[in-house]
Amino acid sequence: MPYSLAIFDLDGTLADSFPWFLRTINDVADHFGFRRVRDEEVEELRHASSREILARLEVPLWKLPAIARHARRLKAEAASEISLFAGVETMLQTLAGNGVQLALVTSDSEANAREKLGEAAALFSHFDCAASLFGKPAKFRRVIRRAGVEPAQVISVGDEVRDIEAARSVGIACGAVCWGYAAPAALRALAPDHMFAQMEEIAEVVCRIQQRA
């Protein structure tokens, strides 16, 4: 069955925000009183799950909503420093041109997301943004319902372990990109349906599946 809906993560998948994150994380740590990230820890943390990262940095869970709000504000202020990865616009145009509905699911605000996407935002039919107590699975379910498609017709594309876990929890296919926040080895260990080493591979996979229908 072809994919008729592609759900994308933003940071680390479409937007190259990891350098900004590394420049900012210790200021946020100082502000909220959790442990700073040492340079030598970065690669190790890229192999950890979100829960493991929060535990290692000693982030109190009750502070997460405030941290998320603070991060969104900082990200909005740094919008000019965060660009899309090369090839994103072409990839999205190819998918949309082949009849694939596009959705964006992110903990960032919709305003920030639209600013980062620029003209490419118009290619998206669905946005589900901002932090959620129920996480990405709930957002995925809402987007799938709005799109009017069956889970078997949906693929999510992200750059973190939690993206794969969320996709599996709602019964949709998952694709993982090698250029984001999580280390490729950590993603491969979960055996996603697709691993993407290059941006153009996303359109090749999704559109090739469509053409077989």
Side-chain angles (χ1 to χ4, degrees):
M1 184 177 291
Y3 297 138
S4 57
L5 172 65
I7 305 175
F8 285 93
D9 174 58
L10 180 61
D11 288 303
T13 302
L14 302 178
D16 187 11
S17 60
F18 193 49
W20 169 84
F21 172 82
L22 292 178
R23 291 194 300 271
T24 308
I25 183 61
N26 284 335
D27 290 338
V28 177
D30 292 345
H31 186 85
F32 287 96
F34 60 87
R35 193 168 66 75
R36 290 177 132 244
V37 177
R38 299 187 301 273
D39 290 345
E40 61 271 21
E41 287 182 291
V42 171
E43 190 58 30
E44 181 181 354
L45 291 174
R46 292 185 69 220
H47 288 263
S49 69
S50 298
R51 289 181 290 275
E52 289 169 339
I53 292 170
L54 293 175
R56 291 184 191 187
L57 299 185
E58 302 170 8
V59 180
L61 295 181
W62 64 269
K63 288 188 178 182
L64 284 180
I67 293 171
R69 287 192 298 271
H70 184 71
R72 285 196 294 272
R73 181 178 62 77
L74 294 179
K75 205 176 290 181
E77 293 171 356
S80 62
E81 302 174 32
I82 302 172
S83 60
L84 298 179
F85 286 106
V88 164
E89 296 96 330
T90 298
M91 179 271 294
L92 295 174
Q93 288 166 357
T94 301
L95 293 182
N98 278 272
V100 180
Q101 291 189 68
L102 302 181
L104 190 79
V105 168
T106 176
S107 58
D108 205 347
S109 69
E110 185 171 336
N112 281 0
R114 287 183 177 277
E115 184 168 2
K116 288 181 194 171
L117 289 169
E119 294 182 0
L123 298 170
F124 284 81
S125 302
H126 311 281
F127 287 81
D128 201 318
C129 303
S132 168
L133 288 175
F134 301 102
K136 281 198 168 182
K139 292 183 175 187
F140 284 172
R141 292 188 183 96
R142 283 196 297 266
V143 166
I144 293 167
R145 188 168 59 249
R146 291 172 194 154
V149 299
E150 295 297 321
Q153 298 173 288
V154 183
I155 182 171
S156 78
V157 182
D159 68 304
E160 295 185 75
V161 166
R162 62 177 177 159
D163 297 321
I164 298 173
E165 293 172 341
R168 292 243 167 89
S169 74
V170 300
I172 63 177
C174 50
V177 304
C178 294
W179 52 80
Y181 281 58
L187 300 170
R188 287 194 185 94
L190 293 180
D193 297 287
H194 304 282
M195 283 289 299
F196 300 115
Q198 304 291 333
M199 187 67 66
E200 58 268 23
E201 292 174 3
I202 298 173
E204 289 171 1
V205 166
V206 176
C207 294
R208 184 173 66 242
I209 292 172
Q210 278 215 322
Q211 290 161 7
R212 290 175 183 169

